[in-house]
């Protein structure tokens, strides 16, 4: 039971960690919370649903290329949507008060939810099952090939992102822009390009998280991003919003807490713990576990 809950927690945590990276990257660059990110996640899940439903018509039989196409298209589609949202809803408000882009983000979230509801329907849709599932015994606990796949893919993507941010010129430009926009511009960095790149990467990771969520739970719905969005935001705050490694750690911590709450306390009330953690972190350590207290500049 204990090992099974750890495995379930790591699987959930992988999805939350990928999802949380979009929140923390945008906050690191623009100091704003992109609450439309939950709908980017939802759109990514739907792109995966449509691709998995359509590919067998053109390519009968199971092919590993299905999933390569699914994740590439979900990442590109969600990333491009995130850039469009940034250009239309956030860029004109960069120099406005912090409340303005927050309201704009909520408006975009409602718009995207209703757009998908009107085009794809309001009912839940079963996710196409194309991945052959196998069960493995791990110290007496059952672990599925899907859980291994989700965890492995998430860790790989987070490792690649960490290398990209720390070792490449574009990654260094992103870190410089996060530090100070004006100084970054004086050093020859195109801040607008960096911001667009941040939304592409964050949105792409959110889209992949949406596909993994659809595969894991077996369904998609127009409002499926709401609760995972709150949990991913909680993970970002828990780790220290703006801190990439903190978002990853926060996602895994939250996933394990939720799994143990479902297994040992109540599966019906497991979502409550995300809200409890969010409240406790904001009350007692608002900078998060890995964040730093930054004094306000006057």
């Amino acid at each position: 039971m204990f090992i099974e809950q750890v495995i379930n927690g790591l699987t959930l945590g992988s999805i939350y960690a990928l999802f949380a990276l979009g929140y923390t990257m945008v906050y690191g660059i623009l100091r704003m919370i992109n609450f439309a990110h939950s709908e980017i996640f939802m759109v990514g899940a739907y792109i995966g649903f449509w691709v998995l439903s359509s590919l067998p018509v053109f390519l009968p039989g199971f092919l590993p290329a299905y999933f390569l196409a699914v994740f590439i298209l979900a990442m590109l589609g969600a990333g491009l949507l995130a850039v469009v949202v940034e250009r239309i809803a956030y860029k004109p408000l960069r120099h406005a008060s912090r409340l303005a882009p927050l309201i704009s983000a909520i408006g975009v979230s409602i718009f995207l939810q209703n757009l998908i509801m009107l085009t794809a329907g309001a009912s839940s849709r079963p996710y196409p099952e194309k991945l052959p599932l196998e069960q493995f015994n791990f110290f007496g606990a059952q672990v599925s090939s899907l859980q291994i796949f989700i965890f492995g893919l998430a860790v790989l993507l987070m490792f690649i992102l960490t290398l990209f941010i720390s070792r490449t010129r574009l990654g260094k430009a992103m870190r410089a822009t996060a530090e100070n926009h004006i100084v970054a511009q004086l050093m020859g960095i195109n801040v607008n390009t960096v911001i667009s790149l941040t939304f592409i990467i964050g949105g792409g990771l959110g889209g992949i998280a949406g596909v993994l969520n659809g595969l894991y739970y077996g369904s998609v719905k127009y409002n499926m991003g709401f609760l995972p969005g709150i949990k991913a935001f909680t993970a970002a705050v828990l780790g220290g919003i703006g801190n990439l490694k903190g978002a990853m750690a926060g996602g895994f911590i939250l996933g394990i807490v939720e799994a143990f709450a479902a297994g040992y306390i109540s599966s019906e009330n497991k979502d409550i713990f995300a809200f409890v953690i969010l409240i406790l972190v904001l009350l007692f350590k608002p900078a998060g576990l890995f964040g730093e207290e930054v004094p306000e500049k006057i």
Side-chain angles (χ1 to χ4, degrees):
M1 182 73 171
F2 177 83
I3 296 176
E4 285 184 0
Q5 296 309 323
V6 171
I7 293 169
N8 291 337
L10 290 175
T11 306
L12 285 173
S14 300
I15 297 172
Y16 295 153
L18 284 179
F19 199 172
L21 286 171
Y23 283 113
T24 208
M25 288 180 71
V26 169
Y27 183 84
I29 295 290
L30 291 177
R31 294 294 185 270
M32 65 160 283
I33 306 298
N34 179 19
F35 281 117
H37 190 53
S38 57
E39 274 52 61
I40 304 296
F41 167 90
M42 176 266 294
V43 169
Y46 266 97
I47 291 173
F49 169 80
W50 291 322
V51 173
L52 279 176
S53 300
S54 304
L55 275 181
V57 176
F58 304 101
L59 299 171
F62 172 79
L63 292 172
Y66 282 2
F67 283 91
L68 182 61
V70 164
F71 288 113
I72 289 176
L73 291 174
M75 182 172 62
L76 290 176
L80 290 174
L81 176 60
V83 171
V84 170
V85 168
E86 189 274 327
R87 291 293 176 87
I88 295 175
Y90 304 149
K91 187 176 180 180
L93 301 173
R94 271 184 209 166
H95 302 292
S97 66
R98 290 190 180 185
L99 185 61
L102 176 63
I103 295 172
S104 182
I106 294 172
V108 170
S109 175
I110 295 171
F111 171 78
L112 290 175
Q113 267 197 34
N114 283 273
L115 178 65
I116 296 298
M117 182 183 68
L118 292 172
T119 55
S123 59
S124 178
R125 306 279 293 276
Y127 222 73
E129 296 181 4
K130 301 298 179 185
L131 189 68
L133 295 180
E134 294 184 21
Q135 296 291 330
F136 302 96
N137 190 287
F138 182 75
F139 292 102
Q142 293 294 312
V143 54
S144 71
S145 54
L146 178 58
Q147 290 176 308
I148 296 172
F149 176 75
I150 291 173
F151 179 74
L153 180 62
V155 170
L156 176 63
L157 290 173
M158 288 185 277
F159 178 71
I160 292 172
L161 178 64
T162 302
L163 286 181
F164 174 80
I165 296 295
S166 61
R167 301 290 178 85
T168 66
R169 287 190 65 183
L170 285 173
K172 292 176 182 177
M174 290 173 71
R175 285 188 283 136
T177 303
E179 191 70 28
N180 192 301
H181 285 205
I182 296 174
V183 174
Q185 285 179 317
L186 292 175
M187 298 299 291
I189 295 172
N190 189 325
V191 171
N192 289 325
T193 299
V194 170
I195 291 172
S196 296
L197 179 64
T198 301
F199 273 86
I200 288 175
I201 294 174
L205 292 175
I208 291 176
V211 175
L212 294 177
N213 189 85
L215 289 170
Y216 189 61
Y217 287 106
S219 65
V220 287
K221 196 175 182 181
Y222 73 96
N223 61 352
M224 64 177 285
F226 177 69
L227 268 179
I230 293 176
K231 293 174 184 177
F233 175 68
T234 301
V237 172
L238 175 62
I241 194 160
N243 186 305
L244 292 180
K245 293 180 181 178
M248 299 174 199
F252 285 115
I253 292 170
L254 187 65
I256 290 172
V257 168
E258 181 178 329
F260 275 94
Y264 292 101
I265 302 175
S266 170
S267 60
E268 295 180 355
N269 299 317
K270 61 184 175 64
D271 295 329
I272 294 174
F273 290 88
F275 297 97
V276 171
I277 290 174
L278 179 60
I279 292 168
L280 291 176
V281 171
L282 291 175
L283 283 175
F284 298 106
K285 196 168 176 54
L289 298 178
F290 302 95
E292 297 179 0
E293 297 284 354
V294 179
E296 287 289 333
K297 297 178 181 179
I298 300 177

